[in-house]
Amino acid sequence: MDIFSLLWIVSLAFTGLTEGAGLLPDGLNAAVGGKVMFTTTLTPGTPFQSVNWKFGAEELFTWNVNNFTEPEYEGRITFFMSTGSLELRNLALNDSGDYSVTILEAGKRPQTGITRLKVEETVSNVMVTSSSTELVEFNSSVSLSCSSSGSPLSFFWLNSSSEVTGIDRVQITDGGSTLTIINVTRYDQGPFSCHVSNPVSEGTSDPLTLIIYYGPENVNLKISPPHAPYLEGSNISLSCSAVSNPLAHYTWFLDGGLLSKGSQFDLSNSQKNQSGSYSCQAFNNKTLRYETSHPVTISVLGPPGCSAGCIAGIVISVLVVLCVVAAIVWYCFHDKKKKKKKRSAENTNTRTGGQDNGAYTRSQEMNYADVRFTKKNNGGKVQMGDQNKPSDYAEFRVNNIPRAAASSLPTYDAHLQRNKRPTPQPETAEPYAQVRKN
């Protein structure tokens, strides 16, 4: 044992490891294959007589007049004269441990510092595995495990870019390396990734996405065109959709009876007997769940024609029209008759010439009827009625000649004088029918 080792042991005995501990940092971490710098707290340029570095009780490096490096550290150590610091390269896991330094300055007591180095393997090959990747919503649970190479110290999980924390359905165990989700939902599909770190490195796994089956739900039946009712020969298209993973399989029913399969059902050239209640049923072959749409009623009408009800309606309409027409005719007939009576009354009043005042106008011309001339046995003629006596005649016509001054009733002589007609001869005299004298 040389004098410097003896001095180091003696200094430890008297001062202990804590004295001068400020010469070195409290602890250091380094990666396998990397390097570490043991930096002292001495002021650069401080003169010292000797420096001695040790790894545990093993000599590492000594400087006094000449530098001395243990053979196993050759090529791995660099010594810095200005501060007495030391750099160690090409680190291995077995380089982890306690490192100490003793520095002797002229006229001063030896100063000793100690620190601990932990050499870590770098994090690599971070990977996430799942107990299952195909899950059924509300029925399945899953565990995700994170593994890596190196010396991991901490784990945390990410769902997309958000950190996953433990809640009722989510449990994080095994030091954070295992994530368990109970009764998964469709929102638990991820992608999930695991982040691993240690003091010298970190790494993140590739994302893992869970396949979660759900549905069917919200089954929706649509009809195109949506207008109803439909005439025979119309083309009607029905489509069915649902929220489902994987895509649902669809079955069509008419009045509860099976029709066909597929997401669409077409009624081409539809017929009246295809009327009824249509519905579609969605089925998920992973969740083994069914859901049926609300039924939709389709009415297909026959070709234009007239049924018994239609005929009855027409007959009733015709009868109503005939009744209205008859009422109009009856009204017009009776109205006309009423007007005729009124005119007749007015004419009668005119013919009487206003008997109330006994006047008769000269300008009224009379046509005679019912007057007969007869022959006498001696060849003479007889005038029926008294010629000089005023006579009233039952039938006459009054022309609309402006009324003159009132006069006495006309006589036959006055009539002949006015018309200046010769007296009819017996042989040519035409009998007049039915003389009626008032």
Side-chain angles (χ1 to χ4, degrees), residues 55 58-60 69-77 88-90 94-95:
F55 173 47
E58 180 184 355
E59 296 287 340
L60 181 63
T69 302
E70 293 296 326
E72 60 185 288
Y73 292 102
E74 287 287 347
R76 297 178 57 199
I77 289 178
L88 180 62
R89 297 181 295 275
N90 299 326
N94 56 10
D95 288 324

Side-chain angles (χ1 to χ4, degrees), residues 74-147:
E74 287 287 347
R76 297 178 57 199
I77 289 178
T78 299
F79 179 70
F80 295 88
M81 285 290 298
S82 61
T83 58
S85 301
L86 185 74
E87 181 185 77
L88 180 62
R89 297 181 295 275
N90 299 326
L91 295 173
L93 287 176
N94 56 10
D95 288 324
S96 297
D98 293 332
Y99 288 80
S100 61
V101 63
T102 300
I103 298 177
L104 180 61
E105 296 182 43
K108 291 185 178 182
R109 297 169 56 184
Q111 297 184 59
T112 301
I114 188 170
T115 189
R116 177 162 291 180
L117 172 65
K118 187 173 184 180
V119 180
E120 305 273 6
E121 291 184 7
T122 57
V123 173
S124 62
N125 301 322
V126 181
M127 185 180 300
V128 173
T129 57
S130 173
S131 60
S132 176
T133 56
E134 295 189 4
L135 308 162
V136 176
E137 187 176 39
F138 308 127
N139 283 4
S140 302
S141 299
V142 64
S143 290
L144 306 180
S145 297
C146 182
S147 62

Side-chain angles (χ1 to χ4, degrees), residues 81 158 163 198 238 266 271 372 379 388 420 425 434:
M81 285 290 298
L158 296 171
E163 184 175 355
N198 63 23
L238 295 88
D266 294 322
Q271 300 299 310
R372 182 182 297 275
N388 296 321
K420 296 180 180 181
Q425 298 300 320
Q434 300 178 5

Side-chain angles (χ1 to χ4, degrees), residues 46-325:
T46 299
F48 44 81
Q49 294 179 344
S50 64
V51 177
N52 179 254
W53 283 93
K54 285 190 175 186
F55 173 47
E58 180 184 355
E59 296 287 340
L60 181 63
F61 174 81
T62 301
W63 180 91
N64 48 16
V65 177
N66 299 311
N67 294 337
F68 175 77
T69 302
E70 293 296 326
E72 60 185 288
Y73 292 102
E74 287 287 347
R76 297 178 57 199
I77 289 178
T78 299
F79 179 70
F80 295 88
M81 285 290 298
S82 61
T83 58
S85 301
L86 185 74
E87 181 185 77
L88 180 62
R89 297 181 295 275
N90 299 326
L91 295 173
L93 287 176
N94 56 10
D95 288 324
S96 297
D98 293 332
Y99 288 80
S100 61
V101 63
T102 300
I103 298 177
L104 180 61
E105 296 182 43
K108 291 185 178 182
R109 297 169 56 184
Q111 297 184 59
T112 301
I114 188 170
T115 189
R116 177 162 291 180
L117 172 65
K118 187 173 184 180
V119 180
E120 305 273 6
E121 291 184 7
T122 57
V123 173
S124 62
N125 301 322
V126 181
M127 185 180 300
V128 173
T129 57
S130 173
S131 60
S132 176
T133 56
E134 295 189 4
L135 308 162
V136 176
E137 187 176 39
F138 308 127
N139 283 4
S140 302
S141 299
V142 64
S143 290
L144 306 180
S145 297
C146 182
S147 62
S148 71
S149 299
S151 303
L153 289 180
S154 63
F155 300 83
F156 67 86
W157 292 89
L158 296 171
N159 183 351
S160 188
S161 59
S162 301
E163 184 175 355
V164 178
T165 57
I167 54 175
D168 292 341
R169 291 190 311 108
V170 179
Q171 301 173 359
I172 300 175
T173 57
D174 299 330
S177 63
T178 301
L179 172 66
T180 301
I181 305 174
I182 301 171
N183 293 331
V184 296
T185 71
R186 69 193 68 179
Y187 308 106
D188 295 326
Q189 63 184 4
F192 291 94
S193 58
C194 173
H195 185 83
V196 182
S197 64
N198 63 23
V200 297
S201 61
E202 61 183 8
T204 302
S205 70
D206 291 332
L208 181 145
T209 300
L210 300 175
I211 299 174
I212 300 176
Y213 301 125
Y214 55 86
E217 57 191 47
N218 299 329
V219 181
N220 187 23
L221 191 160
K222 290 184 178 180
I223 301 179
S224 179
H227 309 293
Y230 304 92
L231 296 177
E232 280 191 334
S234 300
N235 294 326
I236 308 170
S237 180
L238 295 88
S239 61
C240 195
S241 63
V243 177
S244 177
N245 182 39
L247 294 177
H249 300 274
Y250 299 96
T251 304
W252 291 92
F253 297 89
L254 172 58
D255 295 329
L258 179 64
L259 275 180
S260 67
K261 295 183 179 295
S263 62
Q264 184 163 320
F265 180 73
D266 294 322
L267 291 172
S268 299
N269 191 25
S270 60
Q271 300 299 310
K272 188 175 181 180
N273 59 6
Q274 292 176 310
S275 299
S277 178
Y278 286 81
S279 61
C280 68
Q281 184 183 78
F283 171 67
N284 186 321
N285 60 3
K286 292 292 186 179
T287 64
L288 304 181
R289 297 170 185 162
Y290 294 85
E291 185 168 314
T292 303
S293 70
H294 292 294
V296 173
T297 299
I298 293 180
S299 299
V300 180
L301 303 181
C306 203
S307 62
C310 171
I311 294 174
I314 293 175
V315 171
I316 293 173
S317 300
V318 170
L319 290 176
V320 171
V321 171
L322 289 177
C323 290
V324 172
V325 171

